[in-house]
Amino acid sequence: MTLLQALFLGTLQGLTEFLPVSSSGHLAIAQHFLPGFEQPGVLFDIMLHVGTMIAVILYFWTDIRMLAQSPFRRSGDSGVHRKILLLLVVGSIPTAIIGLTFKDFFQDLFDNLTVVSSMLLVTGTLLFISERFRRGTRKESQLTIADALVAGTAQAMAIIPGISRSGSTIASLLIKGVDGETAARFSFLLALPAVFGAAILSLGDIRHVATDQMPLYLAGTAAAFVAGYFSIRFLLAIIRRRRLYTFAIYCWLAGAFFLNYSL
């Protein structure tokens, strides 16, 4: 892997992690077509996700700080924040169970362009359905354990390359009647435990990375952070304007094109 490839993949990860078009699917497709590219291993992909999650922490720093302080406060909105913190824990349970159980199976799918393309079609359909039947106005204070479990299960299924994590979690919450911006914020926060858990599990892989490759890993992570920060702002604006149809059409076109190519 070259520096240019690392920067390209990091930027691609940052843009597509939050835009509902599947970062894992785009990374799998890009790595398939990059000339002379050698798969650096799962650790590289995990580090790119860490870069985007640092962007989430900075963008939602006030929210995260309030969530962290809520167990020790008894005034203001601390009750709502404690509830959201509990729901994030609940939502992380199905993600952890499904992710750990089927981790190896899902990883093997990254080289299957047919599967990746087909799942992009599924992502597009989820986005279309959620926007078509979007009627809810429920805010954070009205989220339920059922909402958290549905979002957590959707996030777990997004381990399949081509299924968008943000797209599936946001779509599932929209279908359940949650306000668009609330759904997006909960989706971003729900990703933090999953990504950092995966990062901790992958720490042992660092010893397999050649010394001269580590700067490339860090460059890719930095690129993912910068691109991710700006894509968060962009997606929130898109959701406010009810324009998820645009991403549904994109996923359908991209999925159909690469599915036709793979066959």
Side-chain angles (χ1 to χ4, degrees):
M1 181 174 63
T2 66
L3 176 60
L4 186 60
Q5 289 174 338
L7 291 173
F8 168 72
L9 292 173
T11 302
L12 183 64
Q13 161 67 25
L15 291 175
T16 57
E17 171 64 25
F18 303 114
L19 302 183
V21 294
S22 177
S23 60
S24 60
H26 279 70
L27 286 176
I29 291 172
Q31 292 172 3
H32 181 84
F33 286 101
L34 281 176
F37 180 80
E38 294 184 8
Q39 173 59 252
V42 176
L43 179 62
F44 179 69
D45 289 345
I46 295 296
M47 287 185 65
L48 296 188
H49 280 85
V50 169
T52 55
M53 288 306 100
I54 294 174
V56 171
I57 291 174
L58 290 182
Y59 195 94
F60 294 106
W61 174 248
T62 300
D63 300 77
I64 293 172
R65 179 170 57 82
M66 295 299 289
L67 288 172
Q69 294 176 349
S70 64
F72 312 103
R73 298 172 62 246
R74 293 293 182 271
S75 60
D77 295 330
S78 58
V80 174
H81 290 124
R82 283 195 298 274
K83 177 182 178 181
I84 297 302
L85 187 61
L86 172 63
L87 294 180
L88 290 173
V89 172
V90 171
S92 298
I93 294 174
T95 299
I97 293 174
I98 296 174
L100 292 174
T101 303
F102 298 101
K103 176 184 176 182
D104 294 336
F105 172 75
F106 289 138
Q107 286 179 359
D108 292 339
L109 297 178
F110 274 78
D111 294 326
N112 192 323
L113 190 58
T114 300
V115 170
V116 174
S117 304
S118 299
M119 293 303 102
L120 280 174
L121 297 177
V122 172
T123 293
T125 302
L126 286 173
L127 294 174
F128 178 83
I129 292 173
S130 67
E131 195 68 278
R132 175 67 178 80
F133 296 100
R134 176 178 173 179
R135 298 289 186 273
T137 57
R138 288 196 289 129
K139 300 293 186 179
E140 287 185 343
S141 61
Q142 298 170 295
L143 291 175
T144 66
I145 289 179
D147 294 328
L149 289 173
V150 168
T153 302
Q155 177 169 266
M157 298 311 298
I159 300 174
I160 304 173
I163 297 292
S164 168
R165 190 207 61 79
S166 63
S168 60
T169 52
I170 292 172
S172 66
L173 291 173
L174 289 177
I175 292 172
K176 290 191 89 279
V178 177
D179 167 73
E181 190 166 355
T182 299
R185 293 166 75 88
F186 189 80
S187 169
F188 295 152
L189 294 174
L190 184 61
L192 291 176
V195 172
F196 284 121
I200 291 174
L201 292 176
S202 300
L203 286 177
D205 295 334
I206 292 179
R207 66 179 184 275
H208 301 302
V209 179
T211 304
D212 62 339
Q213 289 291 297
M214 187 52 68
L216 305 184
Y217 280 49
L218 295 176
T221 302
F225 160 71
V226 174
Y229 188 86
F230 289 103
S231 68
I232 293 173
R233 183 185 299 273
F234 179 66
L235 178 60
L236 288 174
I238 289 292
I239 288 177
R240 292 187 195 106
R241 296 171 186 170
R242 305 174 71 94
R243 294 290 186 271
L244 286 180
Y245 286 125
T246 305
F247 296 110
I249 294 171
Y250 170 82
C251 288
W252 284 336
L253 291 176
F257 177 83
F258 289 109
L259 181 61
N260 180 68
Y261 175 88
S262 67
L263 297 176

